Amino acid sequence: MEDLFKLDEQYSQEELLIRETVRRFVDDKVTPLMEQAYEAGEFPTSLITDVAALGLLGMTLPAQYGGSEASYISYGLACQELERGDSGLRSFVSVQNSLCMYPIFQFGSDQQKDNFLKKMARAELIGCFGLTEPDSGSDPASMKTTAKKVEGGWQLNGSKLWITNATIADLAIVWARTDNGVRGFIVEKDFQGFSSNEIKHKLSLRASVTGELVFENCFVPDANLLPGSDIGLKAPLSCLSEARYGIAWGAIGAAMACYELTLDYAKTRKQFAKPIASFQLIQADFADMLTEITKAQCLNLQLGKLKQTDSASPVMISLAKRNACREAIKIARQARNILGANGISLEYHVIRHMNNLESVLTYEGTDNIHTLVLGKHITGINAFE
Ligand SMILES: Cc1cc2nc3c(=O)[nH]c(=O)nc-3n(C[C@H](O)[C@H](O)[C@H](O)COP(=O)(O)OP(=O)(O)OC[C@H]3O[C@@H](n4cnc5c(N)ncnc54)[C@H](O)[C@@H]3O)c2cc1C
């Protein structure tokens, strides 16, 4: 779409190349699949090897671990382009990168890094991340899943709900309460006492696998405890910060798709013998959409620069995630309205983006939670409880 503020001049050649490569992949291979995948309620798993081949798994990690050593802006641009296709595919990539490979890289032993990361970068192993539980969502400190120390390992009991990739994952990064606080574990799919079930009948993120993880006296060997996760909840929260960074870019990708699709439509759709794009009220919608997309892109770019030098704070990331999700869903709803009746058809893609964004607004910290993060930062007063 139009680059009114010449942001492209701010990106490196490599970043632009990555964006164009992912954009072409999405236009050629992703978008054409999504209508059918969404209707069927199936994640197109054929795309997994494609995203691995493009180097999008472990993008910012060192080559030693199968990573692409790309900049955080490149990662953000990849998320933006993937979500132009569908939030489900971007969610898959976010989970593998930020919620699974990142904690192994950040908190794992050398052995764990060697065992898992290269295979995850090649998509030979798929991960999922279990933090949310049936009774513990916005308040992860209330988690009930326990890990009890036993000889040679740990015994896990409890369950995790609303977990992306749950039933296609080869391993789960699971957060459980121990006598010494919350710790992270790598639970492999064939461990005894571990099972997963898919959640059906979703009307959002239909082309993404979401499910439940169940632990019934599940034995996890000592070798699968993440040794660096001895900082309690700070460990999973740092993973969420990584993922929220990608979501800030991704949600705007969905908004860009809605804007582009609808602009073409409005220029050709005629009512009252004129293209609907000629009406002032419709133009006002487009003016709002372009303004909010551009503002969010500027914010993401600056956030990416800060992230690259490790100076992006969780508050900055909360602000960007909250802004991107709020504005993207507003833009999707405006676009849906401009399409009239066609707006509710999957053929026009916008309703799919709009419904997907309902999940993106909720996961990785709801709008309310990010509002409270900002409120606490601004006032110094914690209003969570
Ligand atoms: C499609 C999908 C995929 C997901 N994937 C994953 C995953 O891979 N891994 C994972 O661990 N989780 C995942 N989640 C879970 C997600 O992170 C949680 O749904 C989210 O954190 C919110 O928790 P909750 O649904 O329990 O809502 P609740 O925490 O029960 O919140 C319900 C409402 O109350 C509001 N609320 C709660 N506390 C406060 C407060 N203090 N002040 C004001 N308002 C408040 C919330 O903002 C929300 O509007 C996924 C969710 C979805 C929908």
Side-chain angles (χ1 to χ4, degrees), residues 95 129-132 136-138 161-164 205 210 359 362-366 368-369 372 384:
V95 168
F129 175 91
L131 181 65
T132 305
S136 166
S138 300
L161 199 60
W162 294 109
I163 306 306
T164 303
L205 275 190
T210 316
S359 290
T362 287
Y363 69 25
E364 304 284 345
T366 65
N368 281 0
I369 292 303
L372 296 179
F384 282 88

Side-chain angles (χ1 to χ4, degrees), residues 280-305:
Q280 291 180 2
L281 291 175
I282 300 285
Q283 290 192 3
D285 272 342
F286 282 117
D288 288 345
M289 290 188 210
L290 181 62
T291 303
E292 292 307 331
I293 290 171
T294 307
K295 279 158 68 178
Q297 287 172 334
C298 292
L299 197 58
N300 287 342
L301 172 61
Q302 174 63 6
L303 184 65
K305 285 183 185 168

Side-chain angles (χ1 to χ4, degrees), residues 235-310:
L237 293 181
S238 72
C239 303
L240 296 181
S241 262
E242 289 289 306
R244 289 164 180 167
Y245 169 78
I247 293 171
W249 287 84
I252 290 306
M256 288 163 65
C258 292
Y259 174 89
E260 287 175 299
L261 288 159
T262 310
L263 185 56
D264 282 345
Y265 180 89
K267 285 181 183 168
T268 51
R269 170 77 180 171
K270 286 189 177 158
Q271 288 297 292
F272 302 96
K274 286 180 180 168
I276 59 170
S278 66
F279 301 128
Q280 291 180 2
L281 291 175
I282 300 285
Q283 290 192 3
D285 272 342
F286 282 117
D288 288 345
M289 290 188 210
L290 181 62
T291 303
E292 292 307 331
I293 290 171
T294 307
K295 279 158 68 178
Q297 287 172 334
C298 292
L299 197 58
N300 287 342
L301 172 61
Q302 174 63 6
L303 184 65
K305 285 183 185 168
L306 293 168
K307 187 96 182 87
Q308 192 58 34
T309 56
D310 208 14

Side-chain angles (χ1 to χ4, degrees), residues 128 166 169-172 174 187-196 212-219:
C128 70
D170 301 290
L171 60 97
V174 177
V187 180
E188 297 176 51
K189 75 172 172 199
D190 54 0
F191 283 1
Q192 272 220 326
F194 174 44
S195 58
S196 60
E212 176 192 28
L213 310 177
V214 181
F215 311 96
E216 292 168 305
N217 294 329
C218 171
F219 177 76

